[in-house]
Amino acid sequence: MTDETLPTVAQSAMRGLACKCPRCGKGKLYAGFLNLRPRCESCGLDYAFIDTGDGPAIFLIMIAGAIVVGSALIVEIKYQPPFWLHAALWLPLILATTLLPMRSMKSLLIALQFHHKAAPGRLIDREPK
């Protein structure tokens, strides 16, 4: 693959959000909810390089936390509902803001890893002093 055929950052991000292969943008990335396929069914890209770790979960926890806590504070200050109503309101919102976007967030980070050729850190080989 030459530099002319590399996708832009925006194209890579769109492929990620669509849960498609980061190289070709056609093949499906997932075999299950969060289980990755071994390789792209279209271009054959081996997905063994993928390691998002806890990144998607951390990003979503921070975003969902800001949304839910902000909303809960506004509702508490304005209406002062009983605690059971808070639980009824915010538990479904927590699930919706964390589980629904998890696939897209994970595949977005995968696409950006691929685009930027992310690799594990390596120490520089040098002579001892």
Side-chain angles (χ1 to χ4, degrees):
M1 186 172 277
T2 62
D3 287 336
E4 295 84 41
T5 61
L6 288 177
T8 64
V9 175
Q11 288 172 327
S12 292
M14 293 308 293
R15 288 175 182 178
L17 291 173
C19 301
K20 299 292 183 182
C21 173
R23 180 163 64 186
C24 69
K26 296 176 183 155
K28 294 179 182 177
L29 197 57
Y30 295 106
F33 181 65
L34 288 176
N35 294 331
L36 295 171
R37 293 177 181 273
R39 66 188 45 78
C40 177
E41 58 200 14
S42 182
C43 70
L45 175 65
D46 185 13
Y47 292 152
F49 73 93
I50 294 172
D51 181 24
T52 58
D54 292 334
I58 297 299
F59 285 128
L60 287 175
I61 287 170
M62 296 298 163
I63 294 167
I67 292 169
V68 173
V69 170
S71 301
L73 286 173
I74 290 169
V75 169
E76 176 62 30
I77 290 169
K78 224 173 170 182
Y79 304 109
Q80 298 178 345
F83 289 125
W84 67 266
L85 188 57
H86 275 295
L89 287 173
W90 309 124
L91 287 177
L93 184 60
I94 290 168
L95 293 174
T97 56
T98 55
L99 293 180
L100 293 178
M102 183 60 78
R103 283 172 56 107
S104 295
M105 182 63 77
K106 183 175 179 177
S107 58
L108 173 63
L109 290 181
I110 290 168
L112 292 176
Q113 276 183 343
F114 180 78
H115 179 81
H116 294 291
K117 299 174 180 68
R122 291 181 214 77
L123 296 175
I124 299 171
D125 291 330
R126 56 183 156 179
E127 295 294 318
K129 292 184 179 182

